């Protein structure tokens, strides 16, 4: 058995998402780019490459990783590029998307040799959490004034609009896209391509994929643009677990189990968004609080129901542990970083990366 903790990517489950993405591409004509800010574990890029059109990034490191490890189309976006990195960004990208008119104009000369775009902010989003809301008051994410964008249209050929966040509601997506059309129609009619970003959970079990495809196709036809999507979570949802082992049990008014992992270090989004981890089947007569091993008092995965009492040495699988996990893992408390393993389609499991003391030491000085 592999020493815990480790992330386990199951290709058979990943394949379910890939097949839905391929189906959507076929029905709608849209292209799909993997959002590396969500998932950048390149050990499965060769598998995903057959079902997607390329990658989109948020930094120099991500655009380079997409270019070198995934290939195909490589889109570069950043909230702001630095002078020292812009030339390298351009060298790895097929398209570069600027967050502001100021950055577009500042790096006009350096970016003139590749396709360029601009981020638009429609002022509406599906986010219910202010921290993740790109349309929050005083947002720095994209341009919103049509009159300011019109004079620079000769410098760009397309737009990126990212305003969906964990949106599994097609009707909400449809309404917001209508609002985008109403606000930005004069710009859209002059564009050659439009990326509608990520955050659309179209690989969910009950999502109306055909209706979604029809809406994208209609949008593409109305404005004569190539539509792009940037699925992150939708690409890898339910494909990965975080495998952990119980190290100790306590009782302090509740049954507590301490495992060899940490939400602060290994599933940071749970802490940021005040969410509980997912366990399955999560039913039974024995309720336990699963706790991380770091010194942070709130390092808690959540409370779950089990068929049997928990004992030291038991293995637990934390579900849905791919999106915004491996890209955010850190060395808080020096807790052992989870290895990365892949379950192949034939059921065999191989470890593709283990982390050692040397990785911890070298990350600090």
């Amino acid at each position: 058995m592999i020493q815990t903790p480790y992330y386990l990517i199951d290709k058979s489950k990943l394949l379910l998402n890939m097949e839905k993405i391929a189906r959507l591409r076929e029905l709608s004509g849209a292209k799909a780019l993997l959002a590396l800010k969500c998932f950048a574990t390149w050990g499965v890029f060769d598998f995903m490459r057959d079902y997607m059109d390329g990658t989109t990034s948020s930094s120099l490191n991500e655009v380079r990783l997409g270019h070198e490890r995934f290939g195909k189309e490589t889109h570069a976006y950043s909230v702001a590029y630095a002078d020292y990195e812009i030339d390298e960004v351009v060298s790895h990208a097929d398209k570069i998307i600027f967050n502001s008119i100021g950055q577009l104009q500042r790096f006009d000369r350096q970016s003139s040799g590749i396709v360029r775009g601009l981020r638009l902010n429609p002022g509406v989003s599906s986010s219910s959490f202010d921290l993740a809301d790109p349309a929050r008051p005083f947002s720095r994410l994209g341009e919103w004034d049509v009159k300011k964008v019109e004079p620079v249209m000769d410098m760009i050929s397309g737009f990126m609009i990212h305003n969906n966040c964990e949106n599994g509601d097609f009707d909400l997506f449809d309404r917001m896209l209508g609002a985008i059309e109403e606000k930005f129609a004069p710009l859209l009619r002059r564009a050659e391509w439009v990326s509608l970003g990520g955050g659309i959970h179209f690989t969910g079990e009950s999502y109306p994929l055909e209706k979604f495809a029809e809406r994208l196709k209609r949008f593409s036809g109305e404005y004569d643009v190539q539509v792009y999507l940037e699925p992150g979570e939708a690409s890898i949802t339910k494909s990965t677990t975080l495998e952990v082992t119980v190290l100790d049990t306590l009782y302090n008014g509740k049954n507590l189990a301490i495992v060899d992992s940490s939400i602060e270090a290994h599933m940071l989004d749970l802490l940021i968004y005040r969410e509980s981890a997912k366990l399955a089947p999560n039913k039974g007569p024995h309720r336990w609080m699963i706790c991380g091993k770091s010194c942070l008092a709130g390092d808690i995965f959540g409370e779950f129901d089990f068929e049997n009492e928990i004992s030291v040495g038991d293995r637990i699988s934390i579900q849905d542990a791919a999106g915004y996990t491996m890209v955010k893992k850190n060395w808080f408390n020096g807790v052992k970083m989870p290895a990365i393993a892949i379950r192949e389609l034939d059921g065999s499991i191989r470890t593709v990366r283990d982390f050692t003391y040397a990785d911890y030491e070298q990350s600090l000085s």
Side-chain angles (χ1 to χ4, degrees), residues 201-212:
H201 283 197
F202 63 87
T203 56
E205 292 179 7
S206 60
Y207 197 87
L209 194 70
E210 287 74 18
K211 288 177 65 176
F212 183 48

Side-chain angles (χ1 to χ4, degrees), residues 14 39 52 56 99 101 105 122 142 151 171 179 199 204 225 251 255 265-266 287 290 297 307 325 360:
L14 182 60
F39 182 79
M52 304 186 74
T56 186
N99 185 68
I101 293 171
Q105 294 174 329
D171 291 333
V225 292
Y251 182 80
N255 290 313
H266 306 153
R287 190 159 185 83
I290 306 302
E307 289 290 343
T325 54
Y360 167 67

Side-chain angles (χ1 to χ4, degrees), residues 117-137:
L118 186 66
R119 180 169 182 170
L120 298 178
N121 190 328
V124 294
S125 84
S126 63
S127 177
S128 59
F129 203 96
D130 184 63
L131 181 65
D133 185 359
R136 61 189 285 173

Side-chain angles (χ1 to χ4, degrees), residues 124 169-181 215:
V124 294
D169 183 342
F170 169 75
D171 291 333
L172 176 57
F173 167 81
D174 185 29
R175 291 196 302 273
M176 292 199 304
L177 185 56
I180 288 170
E181 292 178 284
R215 184 66 175 95

Side-chain angles (χ1 to χ4, degrees), residues 132-187:
D133 185 359
R136 61 189 285 173
F138 317 113
S139 175
R140 73 199 195 285
L141 301 175
E143 297 285 354
W144 57 271
D145 190 335
V146 173
K147 292 182 179 178
K148 289 183 178 180
V149 176
E150 285 178 333
V152 298
M153 283 300 298
D154 62 336
M155 299 176 67
I156 60 175
S157 62
F159 300 104
M160 188 268 277
I161 304 167
H162 175 50
N163 68 325
N164 286 278
C165 182
E166 297 187 355
N167 185 7
D169 183 342
F170 169 75
D171 291 333
L172 176 57
F173 167 81
D174 185 29
R175 291 196 302 273
M176 292 199 304
L177 185 56
I180 288 170
E181 292 178 284
E182 183 176 352
K183 183 178 180 66
F184 294 127
L187 301 178

Side-chain angles (χ1 to χ4, degrees), residues 180-198:
I180 288 170
E181 292 178 284
E182 183 176 352
K183 183 178 180 66
F184 294 127
L187 301 178
L188 298 175
R189 295 193 187 283
R190 297 175 62 183
E192 297 175 10
W193 55 272
V194 175
S195 171
L196 296 176

Side-chain angles (χ1 to χ4, degrees), residues 32-80:
L33 307 173
L34 175 63
L36 297 178
K37 65 180 180 180
C38 174
F39 182 79
T41 305
W42 54 265
V44 289
F45 281 3
D46 60 337
F47 182 71
M48 303 174 78
R49 188 182 297 121
D50 291 338
Y51 301 89
M52 304 186 74
D53 296 285
T55 57
T56 186
S57 58
S58 300
S59 65
L60 169 57
N61 283 339
E62 285 186 355
V63 72
R64 178 174 176 177
L65 183 73
H67 174 70
E68 294 183 354
R69 292 292 186 176
F70 199 102
K72 306 182 81 169
E73 285 196 53
T74 306
H75 288 205
Y77 165 77
S78 176
V79 173

